[in-house]
């Protein structure tokens, strides 16, 4: 059995009205698909950077309230981006019960292929 995604792809940005954007399925590697992949990678890497900075800010008891508030705002933005990326990627996974062999691909053997999977460093 060959799995072909038919669902719309949730894109990693919102419309000017703040609504989700979707891409109709097509051949892999289209311009919008590649732009979405690059945007997702950039968003996850930025989230990792913000998380590292937040650990520093929140680890200092003398950090001013305004800086803590700004850090919380940035963390919230990055979390929203990461959740949208996770939802989009989750929608593109084959249905439960499909074997990797049916897809003509190698089974996934390890976790940690993206920037969000890298070590965040020691906790404060």
């Amino acid at each position: 059995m060959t799995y072909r995604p038919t669902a719309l792809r949730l894109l990693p940005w919102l419309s000017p009205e703040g609504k989700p954007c979707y891409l109709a399925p097509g051949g892999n590697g289209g311009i919008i698909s590649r732009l979405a992949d690059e945007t997702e990678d950039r968003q996850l890497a930025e989230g990792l950077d913000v998380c590292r900075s937040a650990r520093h800010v929140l680890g200092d008891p003398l950090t001013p309230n305004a800086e803590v508030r700004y850090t919380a705002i940035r963390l919230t933005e990055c979390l929203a981006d990461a959740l949208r990326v996770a939802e989009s990627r989750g929608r593109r996974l084959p249905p439960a019960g499909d074997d990797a062999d049916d897809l003509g691909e190698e089974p996934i053997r390890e976790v940690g292929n993206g920037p969000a999977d890298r070590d965040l460093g020691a906790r404060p």
Side-chain angles (χ1 to χ4, degrees):
M1 166 188 280
T2 301
Y3 173 75
R4 287 188 174 80
T6 58
L8 297 175
R9 176 181 179 175
L10 177 63
L11 295 173
W13 53 77
L14 299 174
S15 73
E17 297 81 28
K19 296 182 179 181
C21 295
Y22 296 91
L23 178 64
N28 288 338
I31 294 171
I32 301 299
S33 181
R34 286 193 310 268
L35 178 62
D37 291 342
E38 292 167 6
T39 301
E40 287 178 350
D41 289 344
R42 189 179 70 252
Q43 287 173 330
L44 294 175
E46 182 179 353
L48 183 61
D49 290 342
V50 169
C51 189
R52 286 181 177 145
S53 295
R55 287 185 189 280
H56 175 72
V57 167
L58 299 174
D60 182 356
L62 301 178
T63 301
N65 287 343
E67 193 171 342
V68 171
R69 185 173 189 282
Y70 175 76
T71 298
I73 290 168
R74 292 293 294 134
L75 284 168
T76 302
E77 292 168 351
C78 291
L79 177 59
D81 288 343
L83 291 172
R84 190 169 29 257
V85 169
E87 180 181 353
S88 177
R89 292 181 180 182
R91 288 179 178 198
R92 289 180 275 153
L93 291 174
D98 282 358
D99 292 334
D101 293 337
D102 292 341
L103 299 174
E105 299 176 359
E106 290 293 317
I108 297 173
R109 300 192 192 288
E110 67 180 75
V111 176
N113 298 328
D117 297 321
R118 293 191 190 117
D119 182 26
L120 296 177
R123 295 187 184 249

